[in-house]
Amino acid sequence: MAILSDFRYPGGTSASIAAEVHAQAEAALSTVLVHVPSPHQPKTLPFSPRISELLRDEVAVLAREDEPVRCKLLLVRQPRIFTEDLAAPPRIHAERTVMVINQPPGDAGNPYRYYDFAAVRDRVHRYFGPRVEWAPISSQVRDQVLQVEPDARLAAEDWHEIIDVAQWWRDRDGFVGDVPVIGRHGRGDPVKWPLDPEDIQRAYPTGDDFRVRILGGGDIAVRRLGHRPDNWDVVPFGAESPEEFLRTIDFFVYFHDPDLVEAFGRTILEAMASGVPVIIGEHFRPTFADAALYGTPDGVARLVRELYADPARYRAVVNRAREFAERRYGHQSHLARLAAFGIKPRISPASASAPPSAAAPSRRVLMVSDNGAGMGHISRLMAIARRLPGDMSAVIATQSYAASVAHGEGFLTEYIPSRKVLQAAHPRWTALLRERLAHLIELHEPVVVAVDCLPHAGIVEAVRDHPELTWVWVRRAMWQRGVGADWITEGKVFDHVLEPGEFASVVDEGPTVADRANAVRVEPIMFLDESELLDRVAARAELGLDDRPAALLQLGAGNINDISSPISRICRNLTGHGFQLVLAESTIATTPMPPVPGAKVVKLYPVSRYLKAFDLTVSAAGYNSFHEQIGFAIPTVFLPNTATRLDDQVGRARFAAATGVALTVEDPESAELEEVLDQAARPEVRAGLVHRCGELAFENGGAEAATWLSGLPSRRRRLT
């Protein structure tokens, strides 16, 4: 099937398209995206990040302008695209076409404010034929269309929004803070806010007994008030993902300009799916039935106080909303309406995601990682978790955006909002972390808790609170000299220390060396074994590479912006030597990486799966990439990241150069960069690096770590 729209629209339009594409992909249905620019969008505006992710992850493909599209069903979104004649009408041959009316023609003040329905309809019929079916997104839009065009022939059923509740849902073990946190998110648009400043202050109270968080458009409310209240946290649109933001609030409150006819209210649905009660105007009842709380700005403070004081009622509201969102607007509802057009799933989404019928694991290990900027901590934990024996399973708990990556790898995943996200003081954060771990322990009943992060106070207190469990600190070596000795002392609270192997351990000068005798040491831990890597031909085919030499730029968390000038020099140098370039963007990046001249930017996880596609990598010297590139014998130039607090990347890179397994540039601002790249471009130099890696090869310690972890005795007594 195909979806036609302007994919630059931010907010709900792109979110809706992404949700439908994902639902279709789960059912093994392919989707072609047809981009048609709207005359109302700036020409320089890029695709929405949600759409870019679909294309980058190959969940959908973008139609080429020079090729016709044939499909069983064409969905067209956003009527305003057709307020003017198209310069180049798309060549689409569809058996059936549905125009999803996801914006009303006008509002209460002017029913024709946004577009002339009759004129748009005429153009659409001219381009796609007279049998186009017109489906409003909600009853509100239906009423607006019939107001301006009483004879409009509309589909009997609305083409409502959908959402993947399982993706958005997060269990909550209590309120976010000491006072209720009220919030809302959405793109900045004046009509999304009440006109009356007093209504704004009532809906989003300004007293010390509430906190207010606003993601997107908060500056509009501030201008209408004339000041920013002290208890308001105004976050720019796009600075946090909606999923992340919703985990930092207790109540979602949405009131808008009284003239606005809200087409659907996708942000409301997202809040419901995330486990946040919503308080909205009565006019939304046809869309959300009894799943929401209805009222006016005057009643917000009272209603919030009542629910905050009654956790049982709060949970009842949350559970009712979740059940409603899944039943009315879940993925199955979309697949059911596609079936009415003769498009049936090639596989059952339920059966595709269900585990094989086997005895459930009888033991669990809770694996905890921090909010590091990269994937290092959680990748090491997953490397162990995926090798656990069949009678043991892992629950991954992380403060990082990487929770979605772990979920995508098939792990039961829990999210712990970080101190930075919650903007909590140290004492409050310690208490929150301790309480969250206590909840996860009660919920999942692990026999072992493995922690791959520093032993923060909340973790140390949780260890002391739960002596019935076996606690393991997965402590990477190669810390910087003179840094972190206090953490070693704090870590004495753990029952065991598991040290992932370090190729450069002989030059380790950090504080873990003195404590090494107390650690269980294994070989370097890597996510994949070499047998799991794609071969050169398959990897190149997936990445769209041709027969020329290829180089991977993988500069690690926190390194990209610091060396943006060297990146340009790297690209110029290597393209001058005939290399095609791929730049690996962080899988957990919240904003797309800016274009890098001469390089294809891709988002891959795990990157190691594709390493055999490359003749050379230019990489930071973080633990994971360092050991994968040496372990899999990939010729590498290391550019150590000197901005890390603990990790001694310089020591690692120097040792790699000294042993002949890699080349190193310590100062990428110097002329040494070009000299080393010129050397790496020579085939005989790269062949020598590959040979030396083979001579100093090491095993993957992931299986060894999993075997040791699974063999730890259980202290937990289960109730019978």
Side-chain angles (χ1 to χ4, degrees), residues 367-535:
M367 294 183 157
V368 181
S369 78
D370 71 359
N371 63 325
M375 288 290 299
H377 297 279
I378 198 168
S379 286
R380 277 190 298 277
L381 291 178
M382 290 194 294
I384 299 170
R386 65 197 300 267
R387 295 174 172 88
L388 290 170
D391 67 336
M392 196 172 203
S393 65
V395 178
I396 307 288
T398 178
Q399 301 167 39
S400 166
Y401 291 105
S404 60
V405 178
H407 179 74
E409 290 295 322
F411 293 106
L412 180 57
T413 307
E414 296 283 1
Y415 175 74
I416 305 175
S418 68
R419 177 173 173 260
K420 180 180 179 181
V421 166
L422 297 178
Q423 296 183 337
H426 274 290
R428 180 58 182 157
W429 165 238
T430 295
L432 287 170
L433 182 55
R434 177 185 184 182
E435 293 166 5
R436 180 64 169 153
L437 289 173
H439 169 74
L440 295 178
I441 289 167
E442 180 182 5
L443 178 66
H444 297 293
E445 297 187 333
V447 295
V448 176
V449 182
V451 177
D452 191 328
C453 64
L454 296 175
H456 301 288
I459 294 174
V460 171
E461 291 184 9
V463 175
R464 291 175 176 146
D465 289 342
H466 297 278
E468 77 279 10
L469 302 179
T470 299
W471 290 80
V472 176
W473 185 10
V474 182
R475 188 186 69 195
R476 184 195 63 211
M478 210 70 192
W479 294 14
Q480 294 186 34
R481 182 170 56 183
V483 178
D486 290 346
W487 293 118
I488 303 296
T489 301
E490 292 291 337
K492 298 294 184 183
V493 71
F494 288 93
D495 300 301
H496 303 279
V497 174
L498 173 64
E499 183 175 297
E502 174 62 64
F503 178 71
S505 62
V506 297
V507 295
D508 189 349
E509 298 179 335
T512 64
V513 175
D515 192 56
R516 188 166 285 164
N518 298 318
V520 174
R521 301 175 66 194
V522 298
E523 291 283 292
I525 293 177
M526 297 177 287
F527 187 76
L528 297 180
D529 293 319
E530 186 163 10
S531 62
E532 298 177 276
L533 273 58
L534 295 175
D535 63 32

Side-chain angles (χ1 to χ4, degrees), residues 146-483:
L146 293 176
Q147 179 182 347
V148 299
E149 194 72 16
D151 296 331
R153 299 178 62 181
L154 304 178
E157 300 292 333
D158 295 335
W159 195 278
H160 58 70
E161 298 270 18
I162 65 166
I163 196 164
D164 183 354
V165 175
Q167 175 192 341
W168 286 81
W169 179 263
R170 287 295 182 273
D171 289 325
R172 292 169 175 257
D173 56 348
F175 295 110
V176 170
D178 296 328
V179 298
V181 182
I182 295 170
R184 56 175 281 168
H185 72 283
R187 61 184 174 85
D189 190 329
V191 299
K192 299 285 187 177
W193 287 91
L195 284 173
D196 188 343
E198 291 188 3
D199 281 343
I200 294 176
Q201 291 193 88
R202 294 185 187 108
Y204 310 97
T206 57
D208 292 338
D209 48 350
F210 297 95
R211 276 188 62 210
V212 175
R213 297 202 79 226
I214 301 165
L215 175 61
D219 55 322
I220 298 169
V222 168
R223 286 197 299 271
R224 288 185 180 169
L225 290 178
H227 71 287
R228 188 171 93 173
D230 292 340
N231 68 324
W232 279 27
D233 179 16
V234 177
V235 183
F237 183 70
E240 297 177 17
S241 70
E243 295 95 327
E244 175 91 2
F245 173 80
L246 287 166
R247 294 166 199 156
T248 69
I249 65 174
D250 299 310
F251 299 89
F252 183 91
V253 176
Y254 179 55
F255 290 93
H256 53 70
D257 185 321
D259 279 348
L260 174 67
V261 177
E262 185 72 74
F264 184 87
R266 180 169 185 85
T267 58
I268 298 170
L269 182 59
E270 290 171 350
M272 288 181 172
S274 298
V276 182
V278 301
I279 302 174
I280 50 180
E282 183 66 34
H283 56 285
F284 282 109
R285 189 178 290 275
T287 302
F288 297 108
D290 293 333
L293 303 169
Y294 300 98
T296 64
D298 286 340
V300 169
R302 174 190 57 80
L303 192 52
V304 166
R305 288 192 183 99
E306 288 178 0
L307 264 70
Y308 194 79
D310 189 348
R313 182 185 172 197
Y314 181 96
R315 286 193 296 271
V317 171
V318 166
N319 292 334
R320 183 170 69 242
R322 177 188 184 181
E323 187 278 331
F324 171 84
E326 183 65 62
R327 172 173 45 84
R328 179 77 70 87
Y329 299 123
H331 279 189
Q332 285 296 337
S333 67
H334 180 61
L335 298 179
R337 66 190 176 194
L338 291 183
F341 288 87
I343 300 175
K344 297 184 178 180
R346 293 173 181 165
I347 61 172
S348 165
S351 63
S353 60
S357 57
S362 59
R363 299 182 299 152
R364 273 185 172 164
V365 53
L366 176 63
M367 294 183 157
V368 181
S369 78
D370 71 359
N371 63 325
M375 288 290 299
H377 297 279
I378 198 168
S379 286
R380 277 190 298 277
L381 291 178
M382 290 194 294
I384 299 170
R386 65 197 300 267
R387 295 174 172 88
L388 290 170
D391 67 336
M392 196 172 203
S393 65
V395 178
I396 307 288
T398 178
Q399 301 167 39
S400 166
Y401 291 105
S404 60
V405 178
H407 179 74
E409 290 295 322
F411 293 106
L412 180 57
T413 307
E414 296 283 1
Y415 175 74
I416 305 175
S418 68
R419 177 173 173 260
K420 180 180 179 181
V421 166
L422 297 178
Q423 296 183 337
H426 274 290
R428 180 58 182 157
W429 165 238
T430 295
L432 287 170
L433 182 55
R434 177 185 184 182
E435 293 166 5
R436 180 64 169 153
L437 289 173
H439 169 74
L440 295 178
I441 289 167
E442 180 182 5
L443 178 66
H444 297 293
E445 297 187 333
V447 295
V448 176
V449 182
V451 177
D452 191 328
C453 64
L454 296 175
H456 301 288
I459 294 174
V460 171
E461 291 184 9
V463 175
R464 291 175 176 146
D465 289 342
H466 297 278
E468 77 279 10
L469 302 179
T470 299
W471 290 80
V472 176
W473 185 10
V474 182
R475 188 186 69 195
R476 184 195 63 211
M478 210 70 192
W479 294 14
Q480 294 186 34
R481 182 170 56 183
V483 178

Side-chain angles (χ1 to χ4, degrees), residues 685-709:
V685 171
R686 299 198 304 273
L689 296 176
V690 171
H691 178 74
R692 186 60 173 153
C693 286
E695 289 182 334
L696 300 180
F698 46 81
E699 298 296 322
N700 187 347
E704 184 183 359
T707 300
W708 173 80
L709 198 69

